[in-house]
Amino acid sequence: MTITAPRALPHRTRLRGLLTYLAIAYLGMWVAMSPLLIKGFRRTDGRASPGDLENLCISAAMMAPAVAAIVVVRWVEGGGGVRDVLALRFPKPWSHAVRWLLTAVLVPAGLSVVTLAIGTAAGVYPFAGASWSGTTAWAGTALVQMLLALPLFFGEELGWQGYLLPRLAYGKGRTRPLTAYLGTGSAFALWHLPTLLMGGQYPGQPWYVAVPAMLVSCGLALPVFTWLRLASGSVIPAVVGHAFVSTASMSMVKEFAEPDAPLKPLQMSLAGWPGWIAMAALVVFLARTGRLALPDARPAQD
């Protein structure tokens, strides 16, 4: 596993960096979503596609964590190359890169299939059947959509995996994996609060349902992305995995459902309880086999 503990920094500098990062990332999200909040936008239909304004606001919001990470690394912490510090490097050698980029697609795809299977077995997912030609056509379209959206997910994962998780994982010479996973997962989930208030991830659900659901979803998805980051030594597979979950996995729910059936992410997707079961099983396996363990911290001087 390859992850580098941040270089030794005075406690005040580390704390100032964390607070600055969170302030910029969260403020950026709220500012980007403010036109929709002012407009009173509310998503109530799981099949509805976002309009131009929604896409613009979402795109701007997704860049906020990366901007926050770059600002902190360059001007608050200082002294480190942004690409090295945030693990923005292509996995090497090429065979290693191909392996982990494929894994970043195939694992979320497998989780999505298991999720739909659980939902179908439980009677909450209206599975309409699948044909080879239809599935192949959907896969090609989904891949193109994922690749087009990929730059936006660098905006998120450079912040969560590149900056925040390592900063929470290491401090005062200690390794703090529980703090890293729970802290990053919670920050990742609550960052979505403006979209949750508008029904973004859970159409039609009140905030007191959507917020806890997002905490569970992000808490389970984060270790999967972190495993991709740890094993590959690069943030890029985590970016690819996140992009698949937020694009292809969601379109899979629509593609294989009955055409007129309402779509309810809380019951049908990786962000709902069938997906929680699938992701939890994988996370338990990764944890029990040591794949989520973080390397020991280097000595730090406070």
Side-chain angles (χ1 to χ4, degrees), residues 19-31 61 63-69 159-160 191:
L19 293 177
T20 302
Y21 168 80
L22 292 173
I24 295 174
Y26 275 65
L27 181 61
M29 165 59 96
W30 280 93
V31 169
M63 300 310 297
V67 171
W160 309 123
W191 176 79

Side-chain angles (χ1 to χ4, degrees), residues 186-204:
S186 298
F188 178 32
L190 295 176
W191 176 79
H192 291 86
L193 184 58
T195 62
L196 293 170
L197 294 175
M198 294 184 286
Q201 286 77 12
Y202 300 99

Side-chain angles (χ1 to χ4, degrees), residues 22-294:
L22 292 173
I24 295 174
Y26 275 65
L27 181 61
M29 165 59 96
W30 280 93
V31 169
M33 288 295 152
S34 60
L36 299 180
L37 291 166
I38 293 171
K39 180 183 175 183
F41 173 79
R42 182 77 181 171
R43 184 171 182 240
T44 57
D45 183 2
R47 290 186 178 274
S49 298
D52 291 340
L53 178 60
E54 289 82 35
N55 280 325
L56 180 61
C57 292
I58 291 168
S59 298
M62 291 175 70
M63 300 310 297
V67 171
I70 293 169
V71 167
V72 170
V73 171
R74 288 190 62 115
W75 290 290
V76 178
E77 296 181 352
V82 170
R83 291 182 62 186
D84 289 336
V85 173
L86 301 182
L88 184 56
R89 51 179 174 261
F90 209 70
K92 294 182 179 179
W94 278 104
S95 58
H96 185 69
V98 170
R99 173 190 174 190
W100 284 105
L101 291 175
L102 285 175
T103 301
V105 171
L106 295 176
V107 168
L111 289 172
S112 300
V113 170
V114 171
T115 296
L116 297 190
I118 293 172
T120 301
V124 297
Y125 179 68
F127 182 60
S131 66
W132 175 255
S133 60
T135 301
T136 303
W138 164 81
T141 302
L143 180 60
V144 171
Q145 292 173 340
M146 187 187 80
L147 291 175
L148 290 174
L150 198 60
L152 297 176
F153 291 93
F154 277 92
E156 289 200 45
E157 290 306 323
L158 286 179
W160 309 123
Q161 294 290 341
Y163 175 81
L164 186 58
L165 187 133
R167 296 310 182 282
L168 294 180
Y170 301 106
K172 298 185 178 181
R174 301 194 308 273
T175 303
R176 304 175 296 191
L178 188 61
T179 298
Y181 285 115
L182 293 180
T184 306
S186 298
F188 178 32
L190 295 176
W191 176 79
H192 291 86
L193 184 58
T195 62
L196 293 170
L197 294 175
M198 294 184 286
Q201 286 77 12
Y202 300 99
Q205 296 293 338
W207 68 267
Y208 51 83
V209 173
V211 172
M214 197 64 176
L215 283 166
V216 175
S217 297
C218 290
L220 291 171
L222 179 93
V224 179
F225 300 153
T226 302
W227 163 60
L228 295 170
R229 166 116 169 67
L230 287 170
S232 66
S234 167
V235 76
I236 295 175
V239 172
V240 173
H242 190 169
F244 187 98
V245 167
S246 294
T247 58
S249 180
M250 296 304 296
S251 72
M252 186 184 293
V253 175
K254 294 182 181 180
E255 176 67 21
F256 299 106
E258 294 286 351
D260 299 325
L263 299 183
K264 302 177 181 179
L266 197 57
Q267 299 177 359
M268 301 177 183
S269 70
L270 281 172
W273 67 261
W276 300 344
I277 294 173
M279 289 192 292
L282 177 59
V283 170
V284 169
F285 169 77
L286 294 174
R288 289 182 63 87
T289 55
R291 289 172 169 83
L292 296 180
L294 301 175

